[in-house]
Amino acid sequence: MSDCIFCKIIRKEIPARIVYEDEDILAFDDIRPQAPVHTLIIPKTHLSSLKEAELDQAGLLGKILIRAREIAGLKGIDSSGYRVVVNTGPDSGQEVYHIHFHLLGGRRLGWPPG
Amino acid sequence: MSDCIFCKIIRKEIPARIVYEDEDILAFDDIRPQAPVHTLIIPKTHLSSLKEAELDQAGLLGKILIRAREIAGLKGIDSSGYRVVVNTGPDSGQEVYHIHFHLLGGRRLGWPPG
């Protein structure tokens, strides 16, 4: 998607603090962090949201969760704990329509989650 | 796991408001809902948390996300939007050590997510 901000980050047309990259997945720190660790993890394939995900993309989505766990290790919060959040649609506050998984940690996270 | 509360719900030893079930996955409403829709989605296989998840379980974890989207449809919040939350470890407030995905919606969800 030529005008998607996250696709531009994937293509390195927009700078980002990249923390992990492989052939399928990119992770970079959120520019408006809500916790000491706040990283976004996205698939390189453009997918607007969970609403558009197909069952054959389950493996990719699950791999993003596994990578979230690994990135938590890189960030030093694997023992203290972390929250993964996926927003879909208006009520969730989803702002960028390229699916992204928020990884948050480094502080005690409250409940409810928003 | 004989003493895991979620495994007991899977075995129907403890009642729950079940909203979806297939051979791999069970979904039931949270007993302490934080939003008009608050459903927990769990794998039937006992897995303590994302910390213990292996890469070969990526397909199962991703399928839970796809089912979350479908349950959002059953609950009538597929257009208004929803949030999926996975807590791991102490700072996240994870209380039950059988991995569970929170599906929340039916109201505007705030930011930060806890």
Side-chain angles (χ1 to χ4, degrees):
Chain A
M1 294 275 285
S2 60
D3 58 348
C4 165
I5 189 169
F6 286 175
C7 286
K8 287 182 180 177
I9 289 174
I10 291 164
R11 293 195 302 266
K12 312 291 163 70
E13 293 170 12
I14 292 177
R17 291 182 58 175
I18 293 172
V19 298
Y20 176 83
E21 182 167 14
D22 65 27
E23 61 178 348
D24 301 318
I25 291 165
L26 185 73
F28 51 95
D29 288 332
D30 196 300
I31 56 169
R32 285 176 292 181
Q34 304 296 319
V37 172
H38 188 173
T39 298
L40 303 180
I41 310 162
I42 65 174
K44 288 188 171 177
T45 301
H46 183 85
L47 174 67
S48 299
S49 76
L50 193 54
K51 200 173 168 183
E52 286 73 35
E54 305 288 346
L55 193 54
D56 66 7
Q57 292 170 304
L60 174 61
L61 296 175
K63 189 178 163 196
I64 293 174
L65 286 169
I66 299 288
R67 295 303 175 226
R69 185 268 307 282
E70 294 170 353
I71 292 163
L74 292 174
K75 293 282 191 176
I77 56 168
D78 46 345
S79 294
S80 52
Y82 46 91
R83 178 170 291 166
V84 177
V85 176
V86 183
N87 291 323
T88 308
D91 269 355
S92 73
Q94 183 180 5
E95 289 183 347
V96 177
Y97 276 80
H98 181 130
I99 192 171
H100 48 288
F101 290 51
H102 295 265
L103 169 68
L104 299 111
R107 65 168 171 83
R108 178 75 188 187
L109 297 159
W111 200 251
Chain B
M1 294 273 284
S2 61
D3 57 350
C4 165
I5 188 168
F6 286 174
C7 286
K8 288 182 180 178
I9 288 175
I10 291 165
R11 293 194 302 265
K12 313 291 164 70
E13 295 171 11
I14 293 178
R17 291 181 57 175
I18 292 173
V19 298
Y20 175 84
E21 181 167 14
D22 66 26
E23 61 178 347
D24 301 318
I25 291 166
L26 185 73
F28 52 95
D29 289 332
D30 196 300
I31 55 168
R32 284 177 292 181
Q34 304 296 319
V37 172
H38 188 173
T39 298
L40 303 181
I41 310 162
I42 65 173
K44 287 188 171 177
T45 301
H46 184 85
L47 173 67
S48 300
S49 76
L50 192 55
K51 199 173 168 184
E52 286 73 35
E54 303 289 345
L55 193 54
D56 66 7
Q57 292 170 304
L60 173 62
L61 297 175
K63 189 179 164 193
I64 293 174
L65 286 169
I66 299 287
R67 296 302 177 228
R69 186 268 306 282
E70 294 169 352
I71 292 163
L74 293 173
K75 293 281 192 178
I77 56 167
D78 46 346
S79 294
S80 53
Y82 45 92
R83 178 170 292 166
V84 177
V85 176
V86 184
N87 291 323
T88 308
D91 270 354
S92 73
Q94 183 178 5
E95 290 183 348
V96 177
Y97 277 80
H98 181 129
I99 192 170
H100 48 288
F101 289 52
H102 295 266
L103 170 68
L104 299 113
R107 66 168 171 83
R108 178 75 188 186
L109 298 158
W111 201 250

